Amino acid sequence: MVFSALSEKLQETFRRLRGKGKLGEKDVDEALREVKLALLEADVNFRVVRNFINRVRERAIGQEVMDSLTPGQMVIKIVHQELTKMMGEKAEKLKSSDRPPTVYLLAGLQGAGKTTTAGKLGGLLKNQGRRPLLVAADVYRPAAVKQLEVLGQQLDLPVYSDSGRDPVTIATGGVEKARQTQRDVVIIDTAGRLHVDAELMGELAAIKEAVEPEEILLVVDAMTGQDAVNVARNFHEQLTLTGLILTKLDSDTRGGAALSIREVTGCPIKLIGSGEKLDGIEVFHPERLASRILGMGDVLTLIEKAEANVEAEQAKALFKKIQKDEFTLEDFLDQMRQVQKMGPLDQILGMLPGIKPKQLQGLEFNEKSMKHLEALIQSMTPEERRTPQIINASRRRRIAKGAGRSVQEVNRLLSQFEQSKKMMKQLGKAGKGGLPKLPFW
Amino acid sequence: MAEGLVARLKTSLDKTRRKLLAPLEEAVRFHKKISPEFYEELEEILITSDVGYATTMLLMEKLKAKVRAEKAEDTAVVQSYLHSIIMQVLSAASPPELDGAEPLALLVVGVNGVGKTTSIAKLTEYYREQGKSGLLVAGDTFRAAAIEQLGIWAERIGVGLISHQAGADPGAVAFDGISAANARKVDVVIFDTAGRLHTKVNLMTELKKVHRVISQNLGARKLVNLLVLDATTGQNALEQARVFHEAIGVDGIILTKIDGTAKGGIVLPIVAELGLPIIWLGIGEQTGDLRRFDPQEFATALLAEDDD
């Protein structure tokens, strides 16, 4: 999961701090040294780290903290606030033009994920009821146009391209096409380019001038190192960016780029992309991400995802079953299907408070293992599904045979079932009082 | 062609060099005498070059030991000390033989967007210029238009392509690829693979299978696993290298996009902590823009005095 290493380090530092009744300057400095190190290891820009530490320190050794009954928690709160501030305070929406079509221009280095992002963004806008047109203005990379066309097909979105023409002509042609065909959003995918390549940067500026985009979005790979800041600054100076899209947040990157770019360019991070599936894009919420980094979970996003994907009635029925301890393997299968709709399991669980990044390692389900799961459960008798305790060795062998899987897989399924039963009971208990309990304040 | 390459490399390494050099020279001029503050500035310079905290500390330790041993006082000598220390670190891993008469199978792997396909095009061109026959295998059956992208390169360079349709099993493509290469007695067969984040267990398992298929059908061929890393990547590149190495055993690294402003300092921890040799540098978008990695040159480019 993204930020896991950073998250782990910070949480460990704060665990020690939290226990203290009184906090001296020395304690704060010691903790902050570790925070500094964790941030540097996470590729956060050196200068950004220094400023951040100074700000936190100034507040942490002030009255506010020293007078507090729980000074350790106060410091964590300050770090949380400053982290949020560093990433831009609140979520920022994409602007829309009063005179459609609204034009979004995507730019970035090679391999940042522009074409995939163009597709994802198109899908996101389509789901919001807009009518996007994708424009393939990457005339350099072999088969880039084809790639966007395939994505367009998958999303059922039109793609405009004009092979043999230059990118500026293609971009203007695309906007014209949108006007003619009543598409209200134009997403222009451009070729990857280095920020030091004057010629290609000039081409972007020419596209900008020709189509006057509402948003110029820099697509940045979240795994970028210290150089992220240089890249973003250069693009910003030459194009006046309106926002950033971070990609590949499903890696285990420590995500320092995310924490630095906003601070250095002042451009808000508007969207984040993760995964190769076309729905892997969401609005960026700085506050929620700060919570996730500090191990406080991201219950808000989780609830939103659940609301979007789980039917309320079903959820209620399930909740009752959990409370009455009547949760069966059939429910488990249902549950797995529902959770799968919300996104990859490790990402979903990562949003729960108190879950350590380590616990998520190796947790991954794909459609194939989903099918296996289904086959296994369907090879059980109704009685076995209701009371899995009766599944002895010979039943296990039969189930494995019936599903065409191994006995080990039956075993794994059963222990997974027991585990999630336990976990859900826990959640169910917390759920009675509203939200699951947060680990601190 | 050759001259163009040298000139291009020079400009791209110049950029790299100026980035690291400017602050280092500044620090040397400003401090004159070696002091804790000077060391701190050095640390900062190394960290901002993506060398990473742990390796920075390792380099600093070695540097301090050397300074003590030589009883040095002036900051001016630090540059050459640091050069030899970096050299020493980078020379610790030696690359496999890639230019012999032995037929090769190159398996090219990496996370998404690092430049695998472009690197493959460059490698193909490199071997074509040596008069060797080549074959490309389109193992990225997942990403939209990836097969077409490799196909266009194969056509441009004039080598054969083995491909299935999109969505096909990469293991099956690999099998056809290695079989065809052996049947046609091709000198170098290069396998493209889908970009995969090292954190995706399923995809890493798939890669292991592809690797297994190739290595079980090698014949007289030598298999070399090449990991492509993006020079703009930060500390995560180390994690990528570690996981790919654990999965299939990486024989060497291709470092791409070194022509930007990224300093590529991440190669230091990769060599120091994992012992994986850097073999190639990708320095531009043309098929000729591939260059053998030379530790001496790289260390010099990072630290040497500006000669113009």
Side-chain angles (χ1 to χ4, degrees):
Chain A
M1 192 193 68
V2 69
F3 298 115
S4 56
L6 174 61
S7 173
E8 224 163 85
K9 273 194 185 163
L10 290 182
Q11 287 180 44
E12 197 190 294
T13 306
F14 291 136
R15 213 164 295 138
R16 261 174 276 144
L17 208 57
R18 219 177 307 149
K20 296 203 170 165
K22 240 184 159 177
L23 226 52
E25 243 183 273
K26 227 179 105 194
D27 298 317
V28 172
D29 279 340
E30 219 164 272
L32 285 185
R33 197 170 312 127
E34 277 174 58
V35 172
K36 179 177 156 184
L37 229 147
L39 291 173
L40 281 178
E41 281 284 88
D43 292 321
V44 180
N45 179 268
F46 205 89
R47 289 210 171 79
V48 174
V49 173
R50 202 157 48 196
N51 294 341
F52 174 79
I53 294 294
N54 287 343
R55 278 201 304 268
V56 174
R57 188 174 187 280
E58 209 169 285
R59 289 183 57 190
I61 56 170
Q63 281 304 314
E64 192 185 359
V65 171
M66 301 304 161
D67 293 347
S68 160
L69 281 174
T70 49
Q73 295 196 6
M74 277 305 285
V75 173
I76 298 167
K77 196 170 165 185
I78 290 170
V79 170
H80 182 256
Q81 285 171 351
E82 291 292 339
L83 262 181
T84 308
K85 219 186 271 175
M86 189 155 88
M87 293 188 290
E89 215 87 69
K90 58 177 197 306
E92 299 233 16
K93 284 199 180 124
L94 291 180
K95 283 176 293 200
S96 276
S97 168
D98 311 333
R99 287 178 304 138
T102 300
V103 179
Y104 298 145
L105 179 63
L106 302 186
L109 298 179
Q110 289 94 340
K114 284 174 300 302
T115 307
T116 305
T117 302
K120 287 180 175 181
L121 181 56
L124 183 75
L125 293 168
K126 186 186 167 207
N127 285 344
Q128 294 171 359
R130 308 284 294 273
R131 291 165 47 79
L133 170 74
L134 305 177
V135 176
D138 179 355
V139 298
Y140 304 103
R141 181 164 57 100
V145 174
K146 172 87 188 184
Q147 187 186 352
L148 196 64
E149 279 168 0
V150 173
L151 293 177
Q153 237 166 40
Q154 286 169 4
L155 290 159
D156 194 20
L157 287 177
V159 177
Y160 178 85
S161 63
D162 191 355
S163 64
R165 294 306 190 85
D166 66 286
V168 181
T169 313
I170 295 172
T172 43
V175 175
E176 191 44 50
K177 177 89 183 170
R179 223 168 256 137
Q180 285 163 10
T181 54
Q182 280 84 46
R183 312 302 300 191
D184 60 355
V185 189
V186 179
I187 301 167
I188 304 176
D189 178 30
T190 62
R193 64 202 72 216
L194 286 169
H195 51 294
V196 288
D197 187 328
E199 195 183 317
L200 284 180
M201 290 303 286
E203 177 194 290
L204 270 184
I207 295 178
K208 177 188 169 187
E209 199 161 313
V211 300
E212 295 179 358
E214 199 64 30
E215 297 264 7
I216 303 174
L217 299 161
L218 180 69
V219 181
V220 184
D221 181 339
M223 292 183 283
T224 316
Q226 295 278 340
D227 200 42
V229 164
N230 294 329
V231 173
R233 196 190 283 128
N234 264 294
F235 269 93
H236 189 43
E237 277 168 9
Q238 298 181 54
L239 294 168
T240 323
L241 304 170
T242 59
L244 308 162
I245 302 179
L246 279 181
T247 61
K248 305 183 201 172
L249 263 90
D250 49 336
S251 64
D252 59 348
T253 172
R254 302 180 188 183
L259 304 178
S260 324
I261 294 181
R262 148 85 218 198
E263 169 107 352
V264 171
T265 61
C267 290
I269 298 166
K270 296 205 165 170
L271 295 161
I272 50 178
S274 62
E276 313 209 27
K277 293 216 180 106
L278 287 170
D279 57 358
I281 189 164
E282 54 185 293
V283 174
F284 177 69
H285 294 277
E287 207 264 279
R288 298 181 189 182
L289 186 55
S291 298
R292 247 191 265 184
I293 293 175
L294 295 179
M296 296 180 250
D298 181 3
V299 182
L300 285 175
T301 303
L302 190 61
I303 291 172
E304 272 174 16
K305 278 195 186 259
E307 277 174 356
N309 293 287
V310 181
E311 278 154 46
E313 284 306 308
Q314 253 178 317
K316 230 183 248 167
L318 185 70
F319 191 63
K320 264 202 192 120
K321 278 188 177 168
I322 294 168
Q323 281 179 325
K324 287 193 192 154
D325 209 6
E326 283 170 2
F327 188 63
T328 69
L329 272 161
E330 257 164 359
D331 300 326
F332 179 63
L333 185 61
D334 264 1
Q335 182 73 353
M336 293 299 296
R337 285 198 190 119
Q338 298 236 357
V339 168
Q340 235 208 342
K341 273 198 263 168
M342 289 164 60
L345 195 63
D346 52 339
Q347 284 179 30
I348 298 291
L349 291 178
M351 290 177 211
L352 287 175
I355 295 220
K356 291 191 210 93
K358 271 234 168 77
Q359 293 174 307
L360 297 174
Q361 266 166 21
L363 251 184
E364 212 180 342
F365 282 84
N366 58 16
E367 275 113 64
K368 226 185 199 165
S369 55
M370 199 59 212
K371 268 193 198 131
H372 297 164
L373 211 69
E374 245 179 283
L376 285 169
I377 292 179
Q378 275 161 0
S379 299
M380 297 174 184
T381 64
E383 197 191 354
E384 284 168 344
R385 292 181 218 171
R386 277 192 302 273
T387 42
Q389 295 87 327
I390 64 165
I391 303 179
N392 57 20
S394 112
R395 284 174 191 258
R396 276 169 212 236
R397 276 198 296 276
R398 194 205 75 238
I399 293 166
K401 233 183 205 163
R405 309 301 308 166
S406 66
V407 176
Q408 281 86 346
E409 274 172 89
V410 181
N411 294 341
R412 209 180 312 138
L413 164 64
L414 290 173
S415 74
Q416 262 174 11
F417 171 67
E418 278 310 315
Q419 256 179 352
S420 35
K421 216 168 144 180
K422 258 189 233 155
M423 211 149 114
M424 274 185 273
K425 249 183 159 173
Q426 259 178 1
L427 275 179
K429 267 183 213 148
K432 274 183 194 163
L435 287 177
K437 258 174 51 193
L438 298 173
F440 28 85
W441 94 82
Chain B
M1 177 81 217
E3 230 172 313
L5 178 72
V6 170
R8 249 202 314 275
L9 181 79
K10 193 170 167 352
T11 30
S12 59
L13 282 185
D14 263 356
K15 256 179 277 169
T16 313
R17 173 162 64 185
R18 236 174 291 142
K19 277 286 157 179
L20 199 89
L21 184 65
L24 181 61
E25 271 188 346
E26 218 175 274
V28 165
R29 274 191 211 119
F30 180 81
H31 286 281
K32 297 199 173 61
K33 293 281 175 231
I34 294 170
S35 64
E37 290 77 28
F38 174 69
Y39 279 138
E40 211 168 294
E41 248 175 77
L42 272 188
E43 275 172 29
E44 177 175 337
I45 291 165
L46 290 170
I47 284 171
T48 48
S49 308
D50 287 327
V51 173
Y53 188 80
T55 306
T56 295
M57 289 302 121
L58 176 89
L59 295 180
M60 292 305 294
E61 230 169 78
K62 289 188 177 194
L63 177 67
K64 284 174 187 171
K66 174 100 175 159
V67 166
R68 268 196 306 275
E70 304 280 333
K71 296 198 172 60
E73 286 181 0
D74 294 338
T75 55
V77 298
V78 164
Q79 208 156 305
S80 73
Y81 289 0
L82 211 48
H83 179 269
S84 63
I85 291 166
I86 290 175
M87 258 296 293
Q88 195 192 342
V89 169
L90 288 178
S91 309
S94 51
E97 173 62 61
L98 289 170
D99 297 314
E102 197 178 8
L104 295 174
L106 309 180
L107 177 59
V108 180
V109 302
V111 305
N112 316 62
V114 287
K116 280 180 297 300
T117 310
T118 309
S119 296
I120 288 171
K122 292 175 181 176
L123 282 170
T124 313
E125 175 67 17
Y126 172 84
Y127 284 111
R128 195 193 59 83
E129 275 181 9
Q130 288 188 3
K132 290 181 177 167
S133 56
L135 179 68
L136 301 185
V137 184
D140 182 356
T141 57
F142 181 80
R143 205 202 67 199
I147 298 171
E148 285 85 346
Q149 190 183 349
L150 194 69
I152 292 170
W153 281 121
E155 211 180 292
R156 277 190 203 165
I157 304 169
V159 295
L161 174 81
I162 300 294
S163 67
H164 289 190
Q165 76 266 44
D169 171 24
V173 186
F175 180 79
D176 281 0
I178 189 76
S179 307
N182 291 340
R184 299 181 198 174
K185 298 198 168 39
V186 164
D187 293 320
V188 184
V189 53
I190 308 180
F191 295 87
D192 189 15
T193 59
R196 64 199 76 225
L197 287 176
H198 50 296
T199 50
K200 307 274 171 173
V201 179
N202 297 323
L203 293 178
M204 292 309 284
T205 311
E206 178 193 277
L207 182 63
K208 281 185 209 166
K209 182 183 162 195
V210 169
H211 178 253
R212 202 164 51 235
V213 166
I214 299 171
S215 49
Q216 282 169 355
N217 298 284
L218 272 177
R221 231 163 254 284
K222 180 164 85 174
L223 174 59
V224 180
N225 300 323
L226 296 170
L227 173 67
V228 183
L229 293 176
D230 179 339
T232 52
T233 310
Q235 300 311 300
N236 193 251
L238 184 61
E239 224 25 60
Q240 292 171 20
R242 200 191 311 272
V243 178
F244 274 99
H245 190 48
E246 272 166 20
I248 59 166
V250 171
D251 299 305
I253 308 273
I254 303 177
L255 187 69
T256 60
K257 307 187 200 174
I258 192 76
D259 45 345
T261 47
K263 292 139 224 167
I266 186 64
V267 302
L268 284 166
I270 286 171
V271 180
E273 288 182 37
L274 301 178
L276 298 179
I278 316 297
I279 304 182
W280 304 96
L281 299 179
I283 54 165
E285 304 234 26
Q286 308 302 315
T287 46
D289 295 343
L290 187 70
R291 166 98 195 192
R292 281 305 272 268
F293 176 82
D294 174 3
Q296 170 79 29
E297 197 178 46
F298 196 79
T300 309
L302 282 176
L303 298 167
E305 291 276 356
D306 227 331
D307 47 37
D308 43 34

